[in-house]
Amino acid sequence: MYTVSDLNKDLQVLASQGAKVFTVGYSELGRPIKCIFKGATDGPQILVQGAIHAREWVTAQLCVLLAERYTGSCGLWCIPMSNPDGVMLCQYGLDSVADSDRRDFLYRVNGYNKDFSLWKANARAVDLNVNFNALWGTGKSNLTYPAPANYIGPYPFSESESRMLAEFTDKVRPIYTVSYHARGRVIYYGFDGLNPDPEIPSLASAVTGYPAYTSEGSAGGYKDWFVLIARKAGITVEVGNEYTPYDELQKELPAMLEENGGLLDALSRRAAEQTRDR
Ligand SMILES: [Zn+2]
């Protein structure tokens, strides 16, 4: 496993090595959402986020390792675990929830099953990656009621985690965003016919070896919203082999690191070149 306390330990080490580590916002249950910053605050900025889907918690560990390795000149803002409540629920089940009404609600939503290891949503049973204001509610797998996955929420940005990501992105104004998900070893880019910087998916594909596709039928995701609002390149990177069970993906971390280890530095070089050329 890679838990919230594993993350906090790693963040302490990163801070001792000179990275800035701070709380960027709070989850619905009041857990701090942490961010790592490296590089320069002037010039182009890159934003990376992971574990917005609970069962994909391995991406939090990957994000920390990628931030640790990052040597680029551009500012790197890395939020390894966007959905700490969901990750806790996935790993510890109902024991991670203090409030008994909420425990009853989550137990019911999970079909009276105490195993939450396949949970994707947050602690309000909203799938954060369909809660953004980008053709909200039009995605092909969208649900309009609380569920372990795919519930769009009562309205766009109804959740503190999705609001935090949007507000922080507005503040940082990144040139690129990278969202880490699992699984499939594939990259998704663009939104609703928009592909603001087509070289970026090609570059990401060349570095990682993953094929890059436009995301058909996707709506309300962080990447979707970023592409729509900022008209800049946002990519989703799905790590891990397609058929590896979620709780075994950690075994593939060495391969994930090898495939993704050069991506953020490559994006930083590209951003620096682009800014110089302007
Ligand atoms: Zn995901």
Side-chain angles (χ1 to χ4, degrees):
M1 281 212 297
Y2 188 77
T3 64
V4 168
S5 68
D6 292 328
L7 171 65
N8 287 335
K9 272 180 229 150
D10 282 351
L11 292 178
Q12 274 184 4
V13 174
L14 270 173
S16 74
Q17 293 167 349
K20 286 194 188 80
V21 174
F22 59 98
T23 296
V24 65
Y26 293 87
S27 68
E28 284 290 339
L29 298 188
R31 293 191 175 100
I33 298 171
K34 297 297 183 76
C35 184
I36 304 160
F37 175 75
K38 281 176 88 168
T41 49
D42 53 340
Q45 307 292 304
I46 298 168
L47 197 154
V48 178
Q49 61 96 13
I52 196 170
H53 284 145
R55 67 190 184 187
E56 301 162 23
W57 48 259
V58 71
T59 58
Q61 190 172 11
L62 177 64
C63 283
V64 167
L65 292 167
L66 293 178
E68 192 175 20
R69 262 144 231 246
Y70 178 72
T71 60
S73 59
C74 294
L76 174 73
W77 306 84
C78 176
I79 301 172
M81 196 184 284
S82 300
N83 179 14
D85 294 346
V87 170
M88 290 287 285
L89 190 56
C90 179
Q91 295 175 339
Y92 295 101
L94 295 170
D95 291 345
S96 70
V97 182
D99 179 73
S100 69
D101 287 346
R102 187 176 301 275
R103 270 203 306 271
D104 292 347
F105 163 73
L106 291 166
Y107 188 41
R108 182 158 38 86
V109 169
N110 203 37
Y112 301 101
N113 182 354
K114 292 212 160 117
D115 180 0
F116 282 77
S117 62
L118 293 180
W119 190 267
K120 279 175 92 174
N122 72 352
R124 285 169 22 104
V126 175
D127 186 327
L128 298 170
N129 211 41
V130 288
N131 188 240
F132 289 78
N133 196 9
L135 295 177
W136 177 81
T138 65
K140 67 175 176 198
S141 310
N142 286 175
L143 296 179
T144 52
Y145 50 87
N150 302 324
Y151 171 42
I152 57 177
Y155 49 88
F157 294 128
S158 57
E159 307 307 297
S160 59
E161 297 91 350
S162 49
R163 278 197 307 276
M164 173 282 293
L165 278 172
E167 283 163 14
F168 189 61
T169 304
D170 279 340
K171 204 153 97 184
V172 167
R173 301 199 160 264
I175 182 167
Y176 313 130
T177 65
V178 182
S179 299
Y180 272 101
H181 286 255
R183 308 162 291 191
R185 300 174 70 238
V186 62
I187 291 165
Y188 294 108
Y189 64 90
F191 175 66
D192 192 34
L194 299 167
N195 183 13
D197 195 346
E199 278 182 46
I200 293 306
S202 311
L203 173 75
S205 183
V207 172
T208 58
Y210 304 161
Y213 303 113
T214 54
S215 31
E216 302 299 330
S218 164
Y222 173 75
K223 180 267 292 166
D224 302 335
W225 170 82
F226 177 71
V227 170
L228 181 66
I229 293 297
R231 306 285 164 135
K232 291 190 168 82
I235 56 171
T236 292
V237 182
E238 301 269 359
V239 296
N241 283 302
E242 197 177 349
Y243 299 108
T244 306
Y246 288 97
D247 56 358
E248 291 176 26
L249 278 172
Q250 219 174 4
K251 284 191 253 175
E252 295 182 13
L253 259 177
M256 291 175 193
L257 256 187
E258 195 169 310
E259 292 158 352
N260 292 272
L263 179 59
L264 302 180
D265 281 8
L267 289 175
S268 173
R269 279 194 300 275
R270 168 68 210 277
E273 276 164 26
Q274 237 185 356
T275 322
R276 249 197 326 271
D277 293 347
R278 216 173 272 152

